[in-house]
């Protein structure tokens, strides 16, 4: 059964590996939405910049949280974060699932929804969904929800908390060192917008025969005239202009049939 969640509500999770999918309605002028995750310790802060998972840093060093990337399904475009809850380090108490839209405000994003799936069930229905409604419409980043520990298990809470200063402001609030072109700790370059890439087309070598690479073609195809040097078979040689006709040249005697 799929839970339809309200803001602030929570549900326990039995699944050990979950996919958090952000989905929105496409349309003219609708910005692309990017999903990211922040892994927080007991103090509510990241332990290092490596606790920020997004498309430029798609896999956490623990290998338990990773960005799966964008897809387009019948209901609209999606961006996904997957988490192996059973393997998350014990120091991590919360995992925030965040949506950002570059410098665009979320009043331009319609139908934003977060869906949580059991990753172990192929083509299964979502465990829950939460329709996210920006409070002011001026938000440029949103905490859609959080996965958090409760005893020996995990729960999901629907949040929908917005930031008007974007992913940069949100990241700084939780302890991420943002690239400000200043000296200090190695900064994280925040995403401006991820672009879905077209599928790569592998280069296939053209062959002239099975197992043999094609040599460069230096002659035109059969049936077309070739540009050949003088003297090539089938082409007349030029007559040197310096040779004059013999004034004493006479035709041989003709036979009686020509008289």
């Amino acid at each position: 059964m799929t839970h339809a969640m309200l803001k602030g509500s929570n549900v326990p999770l039995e699944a050990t590996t979950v996919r958090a999918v952000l989905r929105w309605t496409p349309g003219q002028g609708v910005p692309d939405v990017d999903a990211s995750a922040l892994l927080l310790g007991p103090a509510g802060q990241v332990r290092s910049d490596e606790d920020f998972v997004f498309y430029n840093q798609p896999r956490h060093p623990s290998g338990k949280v990773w960005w799966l990337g964008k897809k387009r399904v019948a209901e609209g475009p999606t961006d996904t974060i997957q988490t192996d809850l059973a393997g998350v380090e014990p120091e991590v108490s919360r995992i925030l699932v965040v949506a950002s839209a570059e410098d665009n405000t979320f009043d331009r994003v319609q139908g934003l929804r977060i869906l949580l799936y059991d990753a172990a069930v192929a083509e299964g229905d979502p465990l829950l969904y939460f329709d996210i409604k920006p409070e002011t419409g001026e938000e440029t980043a949103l905490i859609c929800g959080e996965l958090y520990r409760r005893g020996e298990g995990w729960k999901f809470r629907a949040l929908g908390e917005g930031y008007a200063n974007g992913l940069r402001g949100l990241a700084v609030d939780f302890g991420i060192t943002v690239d400000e072109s200043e000296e200090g700790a190695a900064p994280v370059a925040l995403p401006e917008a991820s672009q879905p890439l077209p599928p790569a087309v592998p280069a296939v070598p053209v062959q002239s025969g099975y197992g043999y690479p094609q040599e460069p073609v230096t002659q035109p195809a059969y049936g077309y005239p070739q540009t050949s040097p003088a003297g090539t078979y089938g082409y007349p040689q030029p007559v040197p202009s310096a040779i004059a006709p013999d004034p004493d040249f006479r035709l041989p005697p003709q036979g009686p049939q020509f008289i």
Side-chain angles (χ1 to χ4, degrees), residues 7-28:
K7 185 171 182 176
S9 62
N10 63 80
V11 295
L13 300 174
E14 296 181 1
T16 57
T17 303
V18 295
R19 294 195 314 272
V21 179
L22 294 181
R23 194 178 75 202
W24 61 99
T25 303
Q28 184 68 31

Side-chain angles (χ1 to χ4, degrees), residues 231-236:
T232 301
Y233 177 75
Y235 291 82

Side-chain angles (χ1 to χ4, degrees), residues 188-199:
V188 171
L190 293 179
E192 294 185 357
S194 66
Q195 297 296 329
L197 299 177

Side-chain angles (χ1 to χ4, degrees), residues 40-45 47 90-94:
L40 308 181
Q45 297 281 292
R47 298 162 299 168
E91 297 83 11
V92 175
S93 58
R94 300 162 61 200

